[in-house]
Amino acid sequence: MKDEHPEMILNNASYTIDKEDSNTVNMTAEKITVYSANRVVFDNSDFVQFDENMQTQITGQCNTATMTDGTN
């Protein structure tokens, strides 16, 4: 990831992760940096995970979170 440049930077934004065979997660962050379709970094974020009926399952906060799809 040396000299990696982001594709997109979003400030005060929400990002929904909805993948097949996984529960939906909504991330709201002060800053979201999208490096590629399979790597996103969230700074100062809140998250909510929903069950299959879209009922809140897990909530939390974190300073930094990185989402990857495991292909890197």
Side-chain angles (χ1 to χ4, degrees):
M1 291 181 224
K2 182 181 173 187
D3 298 328
E4 185 176 23
H5 299 286
E7 291 181 11
M8 183 183 321
I9 297 174
L10 305 167
N11 292 305
N12 300 314
S14 291
Y15 190 97
T16 300
I17 305 159
D18 189 17
K19 295 186 176 191
E20 190 175 329
D21 298 325
S22 290
N23 291 337
T24 300
V25 177
N26 182 270
M27 302 286 290
T28 302
E30 187 176 298
K31 180 179 176 185
I32 301 172
T33 307
V34 180
Y35 289 97
S36 64
N38 56 9
R39 183 166 169 264
V40 181
V41 177
F42 304 89
D43 292 311
N44 299 321
S45 64
D46 298 318
F47 58 89
V48 179
Q49 181 176 352
F50 301 97
D51 66 15
E52 58 277 346
N53 297 313
M54 294 307 291
Q55 298 297 310
T56 299
Q57 188 175 37
I58 299 171
T59 63
Q61 298 175 317
C62 58
N63 292 330
T64 303
T66 301
M67 180 199 69
T68 62
D69 71 0
T71 61
N72 288 353

